[in-house]
Structures are given as structure tokens and as C-alpha cells.
Amino acid sequence: QVQLVESGGGLVQAGGSLRLSCAASGIIFSRNHMGWYRQAPGKQRERDAAISISGTTNYADSVKGRFTISRDNAKNTVYLQMNNLKPEDTAVYYCYPYPYPAGHWGQGTQVTVSS
């Protein structure tokens, strides 16, 4: 089963940038599509960005032009470059392969954007 370790979160002012990393193990990383998700307090978890095994990316409308997802198959790691951060981006961020059975989420990494 997959193990996921997210890192790179922190406190940043509006307009700032962060780069999140997610190291995956327990799966053949290069054969899995990967996504970045966020969960804000009191809200459902939602997907911000996804990258296929071929490198095709797609983004939620709210982050298009600001976030960039990438992957390094040699390091079994997926990244999320977050630019021009907004207070509404405050959330815990997770990565997860898809499609994949539920229930193997990592601890996530907290991103807090101050206004």
C-alpha cells in the first residue's frame, strides 16, 4: 500500500510562494497518476492539480495560472509550486495517487496565507 509524506508548507504572506513536495513509497510511482488536494477547515477535500503518468497536467479553475504540478519519477516525488498565494489557499495539502483505494492519506502539510 502507498505511503505518502508531504512537506514544504508554512506561513506566507499573500502574494508569496511555496513549493510542496510529496514523497511516495509502496507503489510503482511512475505507473500512477498523482494529484494534489487541499482541505480547508470545515470543508471537503478537493483536488487542485493532477499529473498523469505521461506528464499531462490539469488544474482546478481557482489555481490555474498560479500553481504548477510536476513529478520526478526517479525520486518518487510529486511537487506543487504555488505562486501568488491568497488567504483562501489556506488549507492542509495532500497528495494522492489516482485512481487508488481510499484510506491511505498522509499527514498533509499545512499552508497558511496571511493577508
Side-chain angles (χ1 to χ4, degrees), residues 51-71:
I51 185 165
S52 73
I53 57 175
S54 64
T56 301
T57 58
N58 63 75
Y59 299 92
D61 287 343
S62 60
V63 307
K64 277 181 184 175
R66 300 190 299 122
F67 291 8
T68 302
I69 187 171
S70 61
R71 64 190 299 159

Side-chain angles (χ1 to χ4, degrees), residues 29-108:
F29 182 78
S30 61
R31 296 183 186 176
N32 281 268
H33 309 307
M34 296 295 296
W36 276 100
Y37 300 76
R38 71 167 76 180
Q39 188 166 21
K43 294 190 176 181
Q44 297 270 22
R45 190 173 290 158
E46 56 185 13
R47 193 167 75 185
D48 276 350
I51 185 165
S52 73
I53 57 175
S54 64
T56 301
T57 58
N58 63 75
Y59 299 92
D61 287 343
S62 60
V63 307
K64 277 181 184 175
R66 300 190 299 122
F67 291 8
T68 302
I69 187 171
S70 61
R71 64 190 299 159
D72 185 338
N73 289 340
K75 295 182 178 180
N76 288 358
T77 300
V78 61
Y79 303 97
L80 187 67
Q81 178 67 44
M82 310 165 69
N83 298 329
N84 189 22
L85 283 159
K86 304 176 179 180
E88 52 264 41
D89 294 321
T90 295
V92 180
Y93 285 76
Y94 305 85
C95 69
Y96 209 78
Y98 71 92
Y100 199 84
H104 301 285
W105 297 90
Q107 84 288 349

